[in-house]
Amino acid sequence: MIKLIIKLYKIISILVFLLLLLGFSSKADSDYEPNTLIVKLKASKSLIRSQSNIHSYHQKMGVKELILVPVGKNGVKSASFGNQTYVLKFKSNRDMQVMAENYKAQSWVVSAEPNYYVYAHGFNDPGYESQDYLRTGRIKSVFDIPERNRVIVAVADTGIDYNHEDIEANIFLNTQEQNNNQDDDGNGYVDDVKGYNFYGFSLNSAHNDPIDEFGHGTHLAGIIGAKSNNGLGIAGINTKAQLLNVCFLNRFGRGNQVDAAAAITYAVDMGAKIINCSWGYSKKTSVLEDAINYAQDNNVVVVASTGNDSQQTFNYPAAFDSVIAVSAITNSNKRASYASFGGHVDFAAPGTDVYSLKPGNSYRELTGTSQSAAVVTGIIARVLSYNPDLTPAQIKALLIDSADDVMTSGRDIYTGYGVINTTSLKDNLGIVDGAQTSDRVPVQTAGSVVPELKEVLNFPNPCRSQGTTFGFITNKAGEVVVRIFDMRGQLKKTLETSVVDGDRYNTVFWDCYDDANTIIDNGTYFYIIEYKTSEKTLTARGRLSVLR
Amino acid sequence: MKRVISCILFLLVICNFIQASYKFDVLSVEGYAKGYAITADKCGLESVLKNPAGVSLLESVTFLTSYSSFFDDFYQGVHLAAGLPINDTMSLAITIPARVVSGIPETIDNGGRAEQVGSFQDLDAALMFTTGLKILPDLYCGLNTNYYYHKLYTQKGTGWGFDFGFLYDINYDVTLGASIQNMGNTKIKWSTGHQDTFSQIVNVGLKYKWGQYLQFLADTSISQGKTELNLGAEKTLEEILSIYFGVQNIGKEARIGAGASLLLENLDINYAYSQHMYLGSVHKLSLGMRI
């Protein structure tokens, strides 16, 4: 009996081991076709004579099939042997890198390479479908500008949620600094590992945590440089940007010009090539002007939004000469009514319903010239990634040459030189179309996604006077209806929202008032979340309690 | 007679529909199947839900217990009741309804996302004393004195409430009923300092016997100027078997119910069923015993 148990134990152990092995091997991330090698043979008459030796070698290596590749003049299938390229298919799992080295060592081989994948130039970021400003219009070809270098882009704003799933990897880390309560790099700021928070600098209360408590800076950072092709969230314009988190606005989006100047100066000193300033005021101080001049003197591009008061307003820093001032257009390329305007406007960019990041691994649409400025910042970051030697003046000249008029011909007070056309920009940068293999993940189409509704919970629960929020994950565009019932099954409230494509956490807030606008009593209620997509309708239900 | 019916119908027509708040519908099975159109029904211990005057019609010591499963067993309710005729004109009853919702997730806001940190339960119960009086051979009245107890999460709510009602046999076939629930509004005071108020409900109903084996019920519940209209019917198939049908809150959120009763010598077995459009099925079962 004991022997039998030991035997069974051994068998199970072996099976578990094999399963683990299989699991690990299947997770191996290869960027080429398995068991396939491309081998180009030398053109030599003597080779014809050694055909049998070559075949023997193939057999020894485990080749089960040879496919002639029709490449170029000599690629056509012919009776002649040599100077031809073959795809070798192997019988079993082999390391193609090793096999390539083995074949390269043969005298009759010109080249031996794994068959590397190529991918369509697209994104698997589920929120990309919601990024109308990138998918349509004049900047949709921005991704044709290759990213060659990582550019430091400072977001001087309300901070960035540096833990956000879609941006964490692109946050600039100060490797010269450690979290040890010391100023390791001697820049005057202690433990500025992930940027710095200059809010309160003028009151000597700045600190080293630039987390975003307002959401504005995170949204802009996402537009500029959210991580792309990571299967999460959205695609940033410069997907390899290093986002320098320079916070100086508080959780209400307010700051002062001294703190702003300190933030800009810090960004320049930390090596930022671009500073995004989606804020401003109609009055200026010399300290702010000095900081902008400091940036200009150090060849740093400063991009600023013009404001959202629908009037002719000269907000600073946008109205400084050296700053690229950005106004907004709608998604239908019309002047945005909310945008401030004036003779200082340089460009206009999409700013309406721009979909980007929200702190807490969430996503949302925001509207304003802030978003437009971030779009232009992202484009410039992409340009500098391609050619880091360009000066701010050269960049501005490039952008002017690449801008399309959307209103009157020439510069106007609403859209400046117009809207940057990234196809023209690409041409002006001398980029020739060609295959690009940087985006390595296949395009995921929404149509292939099976709708899912999961992680349905309201929070907080029990809820008190502040109301409660229904949270749930969906993965496809659709309509969501939340119905709340009392214990008798009487409908108390109906809430509706839309969700977009991609795995995302959605929230719907309820203020605990019923449809008759009466605050509901303490007690337990039921809710049903109905998620309707074009394919099917899913429901989930839960219990919530109100306790005041 | 015609005048009374006309008045009731007029009331039904002029008022808007409401959804009246019976705090403890767990205690009614037969009434649930009849769409709660039971203001004028003589349904013994179940009467305490809408019209305590029905208790005055008890003829023997009666016990009643029920079990309810709501919305595909999302929560459950039970009740125990006992009735005692003191003499020919007076009856007393005590009723304890309770319902419990378990496993309610306790969640917190974790960076804009729900995070479950535990679970809790909601227990809602009451203690109801009913006095029924036969004032005249065809006029009955009753009074509920209710003590409410509600425990939710770590907090408690308590309060007192009173219901009053009467029944009047207009003739052998027609009975008129009227009641006031939550007289002067019922207030539940919570340990948090918060106070919930259950508004006063006025119920007016009519029962009409059509022959020996069929009766129709209609009532309306008026609260804060709005009205709920309920209709019900009872058909006795055999001496020991009755079936019920009812529609509660006629309008866009009507609830249709059905049920049956098996009447044995000293034992009543009642079953009621209803299907909610969104929340699923409700099953109720009660057992009554007369001594």
Side-chain angles (χ1 to χ4, degrees):
Chain A
M1 183 64 185
I2 293 170
K3 281 183 180 176
L4 183 66
I5 292 169
I6 293 170
K7 202 172 181 181
L8 275 171
Y9 175 77
K10 282 181 179 174
I11 292 168
I12 290 167
S13 301
I14 291 166
L15 282 172
V16 168
F17 176 73
L18 288 173
L19 283 169
L20 284 171
L21 202 65
L22 195 65
F24 282 124
S25 62
S26 66
K27 283 180 184 172
D29 188 20
S30 139
D31 57 354
Y32 48 77
E33 288 281 2
N35 301 318
T36 304
L37 198 68
I38 305 166
V39 175
K40 186 174 182 183
L41 305 183
K42 281 181 181 169
S44 166
K45 286 181 182 175
S46 63
L47 202 63
I48 298 169
R49 289 193 291 274
S50 59
Q51 272 188 62
S52 58
N53 292 338
I54 294 169
H55 285 305
S56 299
Y57 188 77
H58 286 331
Q59 280 179 349
K60 186 179 157 192
M61 291 290 112
V63 173
K64 68 171 180 180
E65 190 180 357
L66 280 86
I67 302 164
L68 180 62
V69 181
V71 180
K73 277 184 186 175
N74 297 312
V76 293
K77 291 185 181 180
S78 68
S80 64
F81 192 75
N83 199 23
Q84 289 170 325
T85 303
Y86 286 86
V87 173
L88 311 186
K89 287 198 163 182
F90 293 82
K91 288 174 185 168
S92 55
N93 267 338
R94 303 288 171 99
D95 186 334
M96 286 302 106
Q97 298 283 11
V98 174
M99 297 306 286
E101 292 307 314
N102 290 341
Y103 268 88
K104 275 181 198 168
Q106 304 306 309
S107 60
W108 39 273
V109 171
V110 176
S111 65
E113 299 152 324
N115 187 11
Y116 290 108
Y117 291 134
V118 293
Y119 295 89
H121 185 196
F123 297 94
N124 73 341
D125 305 86
Y128 179 63
E129 291 296 314
S130 301
Q131 291 181 274
D132 290 342
Y133 62 99
L134 283 184
R135 296 191 308 112
T136 58
R138 289 177 169 82
I139 64 168
K140 64 183 176 185
S141 57
V142 71
F143 298 109
D144 292 339
I145 300 171
E147 292 173 308
R148 289 178 173 169
N149 304 283
R150 299 201 74 180
V151 177
I152 300 173
V153 183
V155 180
D157 210 275
T158 58
I160 302 171
D161 176 6
Y162 43 73
N163 297 317
H164 196 292
E165 61 185 10
D166 207 17
I167 209 161
E168 192 177 5
N170 281 354
I171 296 291
F172 172 84
L173 294 176
N174 181 3
T175 54
Q176 305 300 310
E177 190 77 26
Q178 291 176 17
N179 281 316
N180 55 6
N181 213 23
Q182 289 177 23
D183 182 15
D184 301 297
D185 59 359
N187 67 353
Y189 301 101
V190 175
D191 294 352
D192 57 324
V193 176
K194 291 184 174 178
Y196 207 74
N197 192 330
F198 288 89
Y199 178 70
F201 178 83
S202 51
L203 302 170
N204 205 24
S205 60
H207 56 87
N208 61 12
D209 187 4
I211 194 75
D212 185 3
E213 295 180 306
F214 186 62
H216 190 253
T218 303
H219 198 265
L220 305 174
I223 295 166
I224 297 164
K227 192 76 182 162
S228 300
N229 276 322
N230 57 351
L232 292 169
I234 63 163
I237 296 174
N238 182 10
T239 62
K240 291 180 179 171
Q242 287 191 286
L243 296 159
L244 176 57
N245 189 355
V246 191
C247 176
F248 79 96
L249 298 171
N250 67 7
R251 62 195 176 95
F252 304 109
R254 197 174 63 193
N256 63 52
Q257 296 199 7
V258 172
D259 294 355
I264 290 167
T265 305
Y266 173 81
V268 174
D269 291 342
M270 293 304 291
K273 300 295 286 181
I274 314 160
I275 303 171
N276 186 87
C277 302
S278 290
W279 44 269
Y281 191 55
S282 55
K283 292 175 183 168
K284 62 179 178 180
T285 56
S286 57
V287 69
L288 180 61
E289 190 164 14
D290 288 345
I292 295 294
N293 290 338
Y294 182 66
Q296 186 187 17
D297 294 344
N298 284 277
N299 279 338
V300 177
V301 181
V302 180
V303 179
S305 53
T306 58
N308 303 316
D309 63 4
S310 312
Q311 298 174 35
Q312 178 158 309
T313 310
F314 292 89
N315 283 319
Y316 297 92
F320 289 126
D321 286 344
S322 62
V323 172
I324 293 177
V326 184
S327 182
I329 53 162
T330 64
N331 289 328
S332 53
N333 278 324
K334 298 215 167 81
R335 174 198 155 210
S337 58
Y338 52 79
S340 309
F341 52 88
H344 61 298
V345 175
D346 291 305
F347 303 100
T352 303
D353 298 333
V354 176
Y355 189 70
S356 184
L357 315 188
K358 180 185 173 189
N361 291 338
S362 296
Y363 304 86
R364 62 172 165 177
E365 288 180 347
L366 287 177
T367 293
T369 56
S370 292
Q371 280 62 39
S372 307
V375 168
V376 171
T377 297
I379 293 170
I380 295 171
R382 190 105 189 180
V383 169
L384 280 171
S385 173
Y386 177 73
N387 185 353
D389 298 328
L390 292 170
T391 64
Q394 288 172 321
I395 288 168
K396 189 167 180 179
L398 262 172
L399 297 180
I400 292 170
D401 285 347
S402 309
D404 289 348
D405 280 316
V406 290
M407 295 192 71
T408 55
S409 181
R411 193 177 185 183
D412 63 72
I413 60 171
Y414 300 109
T415 60
Y417 296 101
V419 179
I420 298 161
N421 183 327
T422 51
T423 304
S424 305
L425 182 61
K426 188 186 69 170
D427 294 341
N428 290 333
L429 283 165
I431 299 165
V432 180
D433 283 334
Q436 204 181 321
T437 58
S438 60
D439 301 315
R440 309 201 65 86
V441 186
V443 177
Q444 183 185 38
T445 57
S448 62
V449 177
V450 178
E452 284 184 315
L453 175 64
K454 53 191 180 184
E455 290 190 27
V456 175
L457 274 177
N458 71 298
F459 62 94
N461 196 37
C463 59
R464 301 176 195 277
S465 51
Q466 79 275 35
T468 191
T469 301
F470 298 94
F472 49 92
I473 290 178
T474 57
N475 62 343
K476 198 169 183 186
E479 299 299 318
V480 172
V481 181
V482 182
R483 293 186 178 90
I484 300 140
F485 302 87
D486 67 10
M487 296 283 279
R488 293 182 63 205
Q490 293 174 343
L491 182 64
K492 305 301 284 185
K493 185 73 179 178
T494 304
L495 305 161
E496 294 179 13
T497 191
S498 297
V499 294
V500 296
D501 279 330
D503 254 343
R504 66 183 59 249
Y505 189 75
N506 307 280
T507 55
V508 178
F509 177 73
W510 181 41
D511 58 6
C512 292
Y513 280 75
D514 64 15
D515 281 326
N517 208 26
T518 305
I519 192 156
I520 62 163
D521 296 318
N522 278 3
T524 297
Y525 297 80
F526 307 111
Y527 61 87
I528 291 195
I529 296 184
E530 186 180 85
Y531 169 40
K532 271 187 193 171
T533 67
S534 53
E535 289 174 19
K536 61 179 177 179
T537 300
L538 300 169
T539 58
R541 63 184 188 171
R543 290 170 267 219
L544 72 90
S545 297
V546 177
L547 181 58
R548 286 186 296 273
Chain B
M1 174 61 199
K2 282 183 181 174
R3 191 176 293 172
V4 172
I5 293 173
S6 301
C7 284
I8 290 171
L9 290 175
F10 176 73
L11 270 174
L12 301 180
V13 171
I14 61 167
C15 296
N16 300 314
F17 296 131
I18 63 154
Q19 292 176 324
S21 176
Y22 318 119
K23 194 159 164 55
F24 282 103
D25 56 356
V26 294
L27 61 78
S28 176
V29 176
E30 186 182 323
Y32 188 79
K34 292 175 178 174
Y36 286 131
I38 55 171
T39 304
D41 199 12
K42 296 170 181 174
C43 49
L45 286 173
E46 279 203 11
S47 304
V48 300
L49 177 70
K50 282 189 89 170
N51 189 349
V55 170
S56 61
L57 292 157
L58 290 177
E59 292 173 352
S60 57
V61 176
T62 306
F63 297 96
L64 182 67
T65 184
S66 73
Y67 173 81
S68 302
S69 165
F70 288 90
F71 313 129
D72 295 342
D73 217 22
F74 221 38
Y75 79 97
Q76 300 81 32
V78 292
H79 107 274
L80 291 166
L84 175 67
I86 304 294
N87 51 42
D88 288 346
T89 58
M90 184 179 180
S91 295
L92 298 175
I94 183 168
T95 306
I96 306 171
R99 64 186 178 197
V100 62
V101 188
S102 302
I104 305 167
E106 181 184 359
T107 61
I108 58 167
D109 181 350
N110 184 5
R113 210 169 170 126
E115 181 183 340
Q116 185 168 353
V117 293
S119 61
F120 60 95
Q121 83 172 20
D122 178 352
L123 170 68
D124 204 359
L127 188 60
M128 307 168 81
F129 294 99
T130 308
T131 306
L133 289 173
K134 190 174 180 181
I135 302 167
L136 295 169
D138 49 7
L139 182 65
Y140 317 88
C141 72
L143 174 73
N144 282 339
T145 303
N146 310 321
Y147 175 73
Y148 296 111
Y149 175 86
H150 196 163
K151 186 168 189 291
L152 175 58
Y153 190 56
T154 57
Q155 305 294 327
K156 290 174 188 170
T158 55
W160 290 92
F162 303 93
D163 312 321
F164 175 78
F166 75 88
L167 287 168
Y168 177 59
D169 290 326
I170 295 171
N171 56 40
Y172 178 77
D173 296 324
V174 181
T175 302
L176 179 71
S179 66
I180 303 172
Q181 292 177 272
N182 304 324
M183 288 168 66
N185 299 334
T186 295
K187 292 181 170 57
I188 305 292
K189 289 181 182 172
W190 286 86
S191 50
T192 57
H194 174 76
Q195 181 173 281
D196 285 327
T197 302
F198 293 92
S199 300
Q200 182 171 280
I201 304 167
V202 176
N203 303 301
V204 181
L206 201 65
K207 183 176 82 171
Y208 177 63
K209 288 173 78 173
W210 191 356
Q212 195 176 349
Y213 298 110
L214 186 63
Q215 62 182 25
F216 295 103
L217 299 154
D219 78 3
T220 181
S221 300
I222 306 160
S223 180
Q224 295 179 313
K226 294 182 179 177
T227 300
E228 174 182 285
L229 172 62
N230 310 307
L231 295 174
E234 177 181 344
K235 168 77 176 167
T236 303
L237 298 174
E238 302 288 339
E239 288 296 329
I240 60 164
L241 181 65
S242 297
I243 57 169
Y244 311 112
F245 177 78
V247 185
Q248 182 193 356
N249 193 21
I250 291 175
K252 65 176 182 179
E253 287 175 31
R255 177 187 66 80
I256 297 170
S261 284
L262 192 61
L263 312 169
L264 303 175
E265 193 173 345
N266 291 317
L267 206 63
D268 298 347
I269 300 169
N270 294 296
Y271 170 76
Y273 169 81
S274 183
Q275 181 71 33
H276 192 283
M277 186 191 297
Y278 299 105
L279 296 172
S281 58
V282 176
H283 299 275
K284 284 169 161 268
L285 188 67
S286 74
L287 188 67
M289 194 168 67
R290 291 178 300 277
I291 298 172

Short mmCIF file of all heavy atoms in Angstrom, two decimals, chain B residues 29-30 64 234-244 259-272 284-290:
data_model
loop_
_atom_site.label_atom_id
_atom_site.label_comp_id
_atom_site.label_asym_id
_atom_site.label_seq_id
_atom_site.Cartn_x
_atom_site.Cartn_y
_atom_site.Cartn_z
N VAL B 29 -48.53 36.20 3.42
CA VAL B 29 -48.38 35.24 2.31
C VAL B 29 -49.64 35.29 1.44
O VAL B 29 -49.57 35.57 0.24
CB VAL B 29 -48.13 33.81 2.84
CG1 VAL B 29 -48.07 32.82 1.67
CG2 VAL B 29 -46.84 33.78 3.64
N GLU B 30 -50.77 35.05 2.08
CA GLU B 30 -52.04 35.11 1.34
C GLU B 30 -52.26 36.52 0.78
O GLU B 30 -52.62 36.70 -0.39
CB GLU B 30 -53.19 34.73 2.28
CG GLU B 30 -54.54 34.62 1.61
CD GLU B 30 -55.63 34.29 2.63
OE1 GLU B 30 -55.35 33.51 3.58
OE2 GLU B 30 -56.75 34.82 2.49
N LEU B 64 -49.42 31.32 13.63
CA LEU B 64 -49.06 31.46 12.20
C LEU B 64 -47.57 31.70 12.08
O LEU B 64 -47.00 32.52 12.83
CB LEU B 64 -49.84 32.63 11.58
CG LEU B 64 -49.64 32.88 10.09
CD1 LEU B 64 -50.22 31.74 9.26
CD2 LEU B 64 -50.31 34.21 9.68
N GLU B 234 -59.98 35.89 -5.08
CA GLU B 234 -59.84 34.58 -4.43
C GLU B 234 -60.92 33.67 -4.96
O GLU B 234 -62.08 34.04 -4.99
CB GLU B 234 -59.98 34.74 -2.91
CG GLU B 234 -59.91 33.41 -2.17
CD GLU B 234 -60.07 33.58 -0.66
OE1 GLU B 234 -59.93 34.73 -0.17
OE2 GLU B 234 -60.33 32.58 0.02
N LYS B 235 -60.49 32.49 -5.34
CA LYS B 235 -61.45 31.51 -5.86
C LYS B 235 -61.32 30.22 -5.05
O LYS B 235 -60.22 29.66 -4.91
CB LYS B 235 -61.14 31.25 -7.35
CG LYS B 235 -61.84 30.06 -7.96
CD LYS B 235 -63.29 30.35 -8.29
CE LYS B 235 -63.93 29.15 -9.01
NZ LYS B 235 -65.39 29.29 -9.06
N THR B 236 -62.41 29.80 -4.49
CA THR B 236 -62.39 28.55 -3.74
C THR B 236 -62.78 27.44 -4.70
O THR B 236 -63.88 27.44 -5.27
CB THR B 236 -63.38 28.61 -2.57
OG1 THR B 236 -63.02 29.73 -1.74
CG2 THR B 236 -63.32 27.34 -1.74
N LEU B 237 -61.85 26.51 -4.92
CA LEU B 237 -62.11 25.45 -5.88
C LEU B 237 -62.84 24.29 -5.22
O LEU B 237 -63.78 23.75 -5.75
CB LEU B 237 -60.78 24.95 -6.48
CG LEU B 237 -59.99 25.99 -7.25
CD1 LEU B 237 -58.64 25.43 -7.67
CD2 LEU B 237 -60.76 26.47 -8.47
N GLU B 238 -62.32 23.92 -4.10
CA GLU B 238 -62.96 22.87 -3.30
C GLU B 238 -63.09 23.46 -1.91
O GLU B 238 -62.58 24.54 -1.63
CB GLU B 238 -62.09 21.62 -3.28
CG GLU B 238 -61.77 21.02 -4.64
CD GLU B 238 -62.99 20.37 -5.26
OE1 GLU B 238 -63.92 20.02 -4.50
OE2 GLU B 238 -63.01 20.22 -6.48
N GLU B 239 -63.71 22.77 -1.04
CA GLU B 239 -63.85 23.27 0.32
C GLU B 239 -62.49 23.49 0.98
O GLU B 239 -62.32 24.32 1.85
CB GLU B 239 -64.68 22.28 1.16
CG GLU B 239 -66.15 22.27 0.79
CD GLU B 239 -66.82 23.60 1.06
OE1 GLU B 239 -66.41 24.30 2.02
OE2 GLU B 239 -67.75 23.96 0.31
N ILE B 240 -61.50 22.72 0.52
CA ILE B 240 -60.21 22.79 1.19
C ILE B 240 -59.15 23.51 0.36
O ILE B 240 -58.01 23.68 0.81
CB ILE B 240 -59.69 21.38 1.56
CG1 ILE B 240 -59.52 20.53 0.29
CG2 ILE B 240 -60.61 20.71 2.57
CD1 ILE B 240 -58.66 19.31 0.55
N LEU B 241 -59.48 23.92 -0.81
CA LEU B 241 -58.46 24.54 -1.67
C LEU B 241 -58.93 25.86 -2.24
O LEU B 241 -60.01 25.94 -2.83
CB LEU B 241 -58.10 23.58 -2.82
CG LEU B 241 -57.04 24.07 -3.79
CD1 LEU B 241 -55.69 24.22 -3.09
CD2 LEU B 241 -56.89 23.12 -4.97
N SER B 242 -58.11 26.87 -2.05
CA SER B 242 -58.40 28.18 -2.64
C SER B 242 -57.20 28.64 -3.45
O SER B 242 -56.05 28.32 -3.09
CB SER B 242 -58.68 29.21 -1.55
OG SER B 242 -59.83 28.84 -0.83
N ILE B 243 -57.48 29.40 -4.48
CA ILE B 243 -56.37 30.00 -5.23
C ILE B 243 -56.56 31.51 -5.23
O ILE B 243 -57.68 32.02 -5.14
CB ILE B 243 -56.28 29.47 -6.68
CG1 ILE B 243 -57.59 29.70 -7.43
CG2 ILE B 243 -55.86 28.02 -6.70
CD1 ILE B 243 -57.47 29.44 -8.92
N TYR B 244 -55.40 32.20 -5.32
CA TYR B 244 -55.41 33.66 -5.24
C TYR B 244 -54.69 34.26 -6.43
O TYR B 244 -53.80 33.66 -7.01
CB TYR B 244 -54.70 34.14 -3.97
CG TYR B 244 -55.14 33.45 -2.72
CD1 TYR B 244 -54.29 32.60 -2.03
CD2 TYR B 244 -56.43 33.65 -2.22
CE1 TYR B 244 -54.68 31.96 -0.87
CE2 TYR B 244 -56.83 33.02 -1.05
CZ TYR B 244 -55.96 32.18 -0.39
OH TYR B 244 -56.37 31.55 0.76
N GLY B 259 -51.16 32.58 -5.72
CA GLY B 259 -50.90 31.67 -4.60
C GLY B 259 -52.05 30.72 -4.39
O GLY B 259 -53.05 30.74 -5.13
N ALA B 260 -51.88 29.89 -3.39
CA ALA B 260 -52.92 28.90 -3.09
C ALA B 260 -52.91 28.59 -1.61
O ALA B 260 -51.89 28.77 -0.94
CB ALA B 260 -52.67 27.63 -3.90
N SER B 261 -54.07 28.14 -1.13
CA SER B 261 -54.17 27.73 0.27
C SER B 261 -54.80 26.36 0.36
O SER B 261 -55.76 26.06 -0.36
CB SER B 261 -55.07 28.70 1.05
OG SER B 261 -54.40 29.89 1.31
N LEU B 262 -54.24 25.59 1.22
CA LEU B 262 -54.82 24.28 1.51
C LEU B 262 -55.37 24.37 2.92
O LEU B 262 -54.64 24.64 3.88
CB LEU B 262 -53.71 23.21 1.42
CG LEU B 262 -54.15 21.77 1.40
CD1 LEU B 262 -55.04 21.47 0.20
CD2 LEU B 262 -52.93 20.85 1.40
N LEU B 263 -56.68 24.16 3.03
CA LEU B 263 -57.34 24.35 4.33
C LEU B 263 -57.70 22.97 4.90
O LEU B 263 -58.66 22.35 4.47
CB LEU B 263 -58.60 25.19 4.18
CG LEU B 263 -58.44 26.48 3.36
CD1 LEU B 263 -59.80 27.09 3.05
CD2 LEU B 263 -57.59 27.49 4.13
N LEU B 264 -56.89 22.55 5.82
CA LEU B 264 -57.18 21.27 6.47
C LEU B 264 -57.97 21.55 7.75
O LEU B 264 -58.33 22.70 8.01
CB LEU B 264 -55.86 20.55 6.76
CG LEU B 264 -55.00 20.31 5.50
CD1 LEU B 264 -53.67 19.70 5.88
CD2 LEU B 264 -55.72 19.45 4.48
N GLU B 265 -58.17 20.56 8.50
CA GLU B 265 -59.09 20.72 9.63
C GLU B 265 -58.68 21.87 10.56
O GLU B 265 -59.43 22.81 10.77
CB GLU B 265 -59.16 19.41 10.41
CG GLU B 265 -60.30 19.38 11.40
CD GLU B 265 -60.45 18.02 12.04
OE1 GLU B 265 -59.87 17.04 11.52
OE2 GLU B 265 -61.14 17.92 13.05
N ASN B 266 -57.47 21.78 11.11
CA ASN B 266 -56.99 22.86 11.97
C ASN B 266 -55.72 23.50 11.43
O ASN B 266 -55.01 24.19 12.15
CB ASN B 266 -56.70 22.31 13.37
CG ASN B 266 -57.97 21.91 14.08
OD1 ASN B 266 -58.97 22.64 14.02
ND2 ASN B 266 -57.96 20.75 14.70
N LEU B 267 -55.48 23.25 10.20
CA LEU B 267 -54.18 23.65 9.63
C LEU B 267 -54.41 24.36 8.29
O LEU B 267 -55.17 23.89 7.46
CB LEU B 267 -53.35 22.39 9.40
CG LEU B 267 -51.84 22.52 9.41
CD1 LEU B 267 -51.33 22.97 10.77
CD2 LEU B 267 -51.22 21.15 9.06
N ASP B 268 -53.71 25.48 8.13
CA ASP B 268 -53.73 26.17 6.82
C ASP B 268 -52.31 26.16 6.27
O ASP B 268 -51.37 26.50 7.00
CB ASP B 268 -54.13 27.64 6.97
CG ASP B 268 -55.54 27.79 7.54
OD1 ASP B 268 -56.27 26.78 7.58
OD2 ASP B 268 -55.85 28.92 7.93
N ILE B 269 -52.20 25.82 5.01
CA ILE B 269 -50.88 25.91 4.36
C ILE B 269 -51.06 26.87 3.18
O ILE B 269 -51.90 26.64 2.30
CB ILE B 269 -50.38 24.54 3.87
CG1 ILE B 269 -50.26 23.58 5.06
CG2 ILE B 269 -49.03 24.68 3.16
CD1 ILE B 269 -50.03 22.15 4.65
N ASN B 270 -50.27 27.92 3.20
CA ASN B 270 -50.38 28.94 2.13
C ASN B 270 -49.07 29.04 1.37
O ASN B 270 -47.99 28.97 1.97
CB ASN B 270 -50.67 30.31 2.74
CG ASN B 270 -52.03 30.33 3.40
OD1 ASN B 270 -53.04 30.18 2.75
ND2 ASN B 270 -52.04 30.48 4.72
N TYR B 271 -49.23 29.26 0.10
CA TYR B 271 -48.04 29.48 -0.73
C TYR B 271 -48.32 30.67 -1.65
O TYR B 271 -49.43 30.82 -2.18
CB TYR B 271 -47.73 28.24 -1.57
CG TYR B 271 -46.65 28.51 -2.61
CD1 TYR B 271 -45.31 28.62 -2.25
CD2 TYR B 271 -47.00 28.70 -3.96
CE1 TYR B 271 -44.34 28.89 -3.20
CE2 TYR B 271 -46.04 28.97 -4.91
CZ TYR B 271 -44.71 29.06 -4.53
OH TYR B 271 -43.75 29.35 -5.46
N ALA B 272 -47.32 31.51 -1.82
CA ALA B 272 -47.47 32.66 -2.74
C ALA B 272 -46.21 32.78 -3.60
O ALA B 272 -45.10 32.45 -3.17
CB ALA B 272 -47.68 33.94 -1.95
N LYS B 284 -43.12 32.40 -0.99
CA LYS B 284 -43.53 32.55 0.41
C LYS B 284 -44.35 31.34 0.81
O LYS B 284 -45.17 30.84 0.03
CB LYS B 284 -44.40 33.81 0.57
CG LYS B 284 -43.61 35.11 0.54
CD LYS B 284 -44.56 36.29 0.42
CE LYS B 284 -43.88 37.56 0.84
NZ LYS B 284 -44.06 37.85 2.27
N LEU B 285 -44.12 30.91 2.02
CA LEU B 285 -44.83 29.74 2.52
C LEU B 285 -45.21 30.00 3.97
O LEU B 285 -44.37 30.48 4.75
CB LEU B 285 -43.91 28.51 2.45
CG LEU B 285 -44.54 27.16 2.75
CD1 LEU B 285 -45.55 26.77 1.67
CD2 LEU B 285 -43.44 26.10 2.85
N SER B 286 -46.45 29.72 4.30
CA SER B 286 -46.85 29.91 5.70
C SER B 286 -47.63 28.70 6.21
O SER B 286 -48.24 27.95 5.42
CB SER B 286 -47.67 31.19 5.87
OG SER B 286 -48.96 31.01 5.36
N LEU B 287 -47.58 28.58 7.49
CA LEU B 287 -48.28 27.48 8.14
C LEU B 287 -49.09 28.07 9.29
O LEU B 287 -48.53 28.75 10.17
CB LEU B 287 -47.24 26.49 8.68
CG LEU B 287 -47.75 25.18 9.22
CD1 LEU B 287 -48.36 24.33 8.11
CD2 LEU B 287 -46.60 24.42 9.88
N GLY B 288 -50.39 27.83 9.25
CA GLY B 288 -51.26 28.35 10.32
C GLY B 288 -51.93 27.20 11.07
O GLY B 288 -52.25 26.17 10.48
N MET B 289 -52.13 27.40 12.34
CA MET B 289 -52.74 26.34 13.14
C MET B 289 -53.77 26.95 14.08
O MET B 289 -53.51 27.98 14.71
CB MET B 289 -51.67 25.61 13.94
CG MET B 289 -52.15 24.30 14.54
SD MET B 289 -50.79 23.30 15.16
CE MET B 289 -50.23 24.28 16.51
N ARG B 290 -54.93 26.30 14.16
CA ARG B 290 -55.98 26.76 15.07
C ARG B 290 -56.20 25.70 16.15
O ARG B 290 -56.21 24.51 15.86
CB ARG B 290 -57.29 26.97 14.30
CG ARG B 290 -57.26 28.14 13.33
CD ARG B 290 -58.56 28.26 12.57
NE ARG B 290 -58.84 27.05 11.79
CZ ARG B 290 -58.34 26.82 10.59
NH1 ARG B 290 -57.52 27.70 10.02
NH2 ARG B 290 -58.63 25.71 9.95
#
